[in-house]
Amino acid sequence: MLLNLQRYNLFIKFVTGKENVVADALSRAPLIGEESKDEYQKLNVFKVSKEIEKINLANYLSVSDHRLNKIILETEKDLAFQQIIQYIQNGWPTRIDQVPDSSKIYFKYRDELSHQDGIIFRCDRILVPHSLRSKLIQSCHVSHNGMEATIKLARANLFWPGMTAQIRDVVKECSICAKFAASQANPPMMSHRIPVHPFQMISMDVFVAEYRGRKRNFLVTVDHYSDYFEVDILKDLTPESVIEICKINFARHGIPQQVISDNGTNFVNRKMSQFANDWEFEHITSAPYHQQANGKSEAAVKIAKRLLLKADESGNDFWYALLHWRNIPNKIESSPV
């Protein structure tokens, strides 16, 4: 609190308890002996002022004395900084057009600037003169710990307008950082475009689960617009069985514009391509060995498997459980059905 208060000129005013809606610590401090209110105010003003005066911001910085002396020397040479010191001591102009061009960039920080022992601070960080900025960036980047680490180290003690952008530019051009950079991270997942009506875009996948005491093959067909999905039992995993179920679902819901699937042989084959051509829809396959690209159907498969297991465990009918799931409102208070 004292560090934050240092840049202000304090005036303490007595307010009666009934008028002091939001009380602070001083207004509720007990009186000492028979001192009057005026004496009490003067005592606290004097005490707080002296405590603030004793604070040396430089003691709280991770900056060597040699570096501080260099900053003080360069601050004395910088005409813009000397003008800022005058403004800090005597008050800033009311409008930015009254400030010299060299100091205009600091106008928006005027309420956060203070001056102590030849150094200008923005809050508790040193405002660095122009002549030292490049050198201090190199000093923060001396261990080549990467962009974010360099920025965090600089922000702990230093400040000037545009500092973060300058550090980023320096680190980007650093050949050592580039040479020993970590392996390239995976790019962010690219989402499919958002459909505007139901069954415009669907995803399909097959899975095997136990149903009524034996393993069965299922085809899940999920709508990207509503998250509604169909679960159908396949006679086998041949393309003919998949196409037969697709025709039933398409006759019920309409022919989609896009059908997304993985690269399983029951989806990627000559008959499926002919079916897509005859029924006039676009068949898109996900990247090999990358299930996330068909994540909509993968999520529906997990739900369907969980419903099958729960229905089997509780003795309930799976299709009745699926009906209930379709009627449950989602995050936007609208059920899939």
Side-chain angles (χ1 to χ4, degrees), residues 160-179:
W160 66 84
M163 181 182 73
T164 300
Q166 291 182 30
I167 292 175
R168 292 186 188 278
D169 292 339
V170 170
V171 177
K172 285 179 182 178
E173 298 297 326
C174 179
S175 58
I176 296 176
C177 289
K179 181 178 180 179

Side-chain angles (χ1 to χ4, degrees), residues 117-177:
D117 298 332
I119 300 175
I120 300 175
F121 293 89
R122 183 201 173 190
C123 298
D124 57 348
R125 296 157 60 188
I126 297 174
L127 183 61
V128 180
H130 292 79
S131 57
L132 294 178
R133 293 175 183 178
S134 297
K135 186 179 294 184
L136 288 178
I137 290 177
Q138 296 300 331
S139 178
C140 292
H141 187 55
V142 68
S143 57
H144 301 279
N145 281 325
M147 186 178 296
E148 295 306 317
T150 305
I151 291 173
K152 287 179 181 179
L153 181 59
R155 283 178 176 173
N157 301 294
L158 311 175
F159 169 78
W160 66 84
M163 181 182 73
T164 300
Q166 291 182 30
I167 292 175
R168 292 186 188 278
D169 292 339
V170 170
V171 177
K172 285 179 182 178
E173 298 297 326
C174 179
S175 58
I176 296 176
C177 289

Side-chain angles (χ1 to χ4, degrees), residues 26-275:
L26 288 179
S27 67
R28 291 294 181 260
L31 293 175
I32 302 172
E34 299 297 326
E35 292 177 322
S36 67
K37 294 176 182 178
D38 290 339
E39 291 174 342
Y40 178 62
Q41 291 179 49
K42 292 176 182 178
L43 175 65
N44 280 289
V45 170
F46 179 77
K47 182 179 178 182
V48 172
S49 300
K50 288 300 179 184
E51 288 182 358
I52 292 176
E53 288 177 4
K54 292 178 182 178
I55 295 175
N56 186 358
L57 287 174
N59 293 338
Y60 296 87
L61 300 172
S62 300
V63 182
S64 66
D65 291 340
H66 172 75
R67 185 77 70 188
L68 286 174
N69 292 332
K70 189 68 174 176
I71 291 173
I72 293 171
L73 183 61
E74 294 301 321
T75 300
E76 292 176 355
K77 296 178 181 178
D78 195 311
L79 297 180
F81 275 38
Q82 291 303 307
Q83 180 66 66
I84 292 171
I85 292 173
Q86 293 297 319
Y87 286 146
I88 293 171
Q89 294 174 345
N90 303 319
W92 284 78
T94 56
R95 301 198 314 270
I96 192 172
D97 57 6
Q98 297 173 333
V99 179
D101 292 341
S102 59
S103 304
K104 281 183 178 179
I105 194 170
Y106 306 102
F107 184 78
K108 64 179 179 180
Y109 306 108
R110 62 192 183 280
D111 294 330
E112 304 173 45
L113 299 178
S114 61
H115 173 251
Q116 186 180 56
D117 298 332
I119 300 175
I120 300 175
F121 293 89
R122 183 201 173 190
C123 298
D124 57 348
R125 296 157 60 188
I126 297 174
L127 183 61
V128 180
H130 292 79
S131 57
L132 294 178
R133 293 175 183 178
S134 297
K135 186 179 294 184
L136 288 178
I137 290 177
Q138 296 300 331
S139 178
C140 292
H141 187 55
V142 68
S143 57
H144 301 279
N145 281 325
M147 186 178 296
E148 295 306 317
T150 305
I151 291 173
K152 287 179 181 179
L153 181 59
R155 283 178 176 173
N157 301 294
L158 311 175
F159 169 78
W160 66 84
M163 181 182 73
T164 300
Q166 291 182 30
I167 292 175
R168 292 186 188 278
D169 292 339
V170 170
V171 177
K172 285 179 182 178
E173 298 297 326
C174 179
S175 58
I176 296 176
C177 289
K179 181 178 180 179
F180 294 96
S183 300
Q184 186 174 0
N186 291 329
M189 179 70 73
M190 298 294 292
S191 301
H192 294 291
R193 64 183 179 87
I194 300 174
V196 296
H197 59 77
F199 227 70
Q200 179 183 0
M201 180 189 300
I202 64 169
S203 287
M204 296 192 303
D205 200 5
V206 295
F207 67 95
V208 180
E210 188 169 322
Y211 177 64
R212 293 183 178 176
R214 67 188 184 96
K215 296 288 184 180
R216 303 293 294 268
N217 299 312
F218 292 88
L219 172 69
V220 65
T221 305
V222 57
D223 173 33
H224 282 233
Y225 178 83
S226 62
D227 287 341
Y228 176 95
F229 65 84
E230 293 279 6
V231 180
D232 298 283
I233 299 175
L234 293 169
K235 292 184 294 184
D236 50 46
L237 295 177
T238 61
E240 291 83 358
S241 296
V242 174
I243 291 173
E244 180 181 351
I245 296 298
C246 286
K247 288 180 178 179
I248 294 172
N249 287 329
F250 293 0
R252 181 180 298 119
H253 300 291
I255 302 174
Q257 294 180 5
Q258 290 183 335
V259 175
I260 303 168
S261 71
D262 58 22
N263 288 273
T265 55
N266 38 23
F267 294 118
V268 181
N269 53 72
R270 182 181 56 81
K271 292 183 179 180
M272 193 68 179
S273 298
Q274 185 62 44
F275 173 54

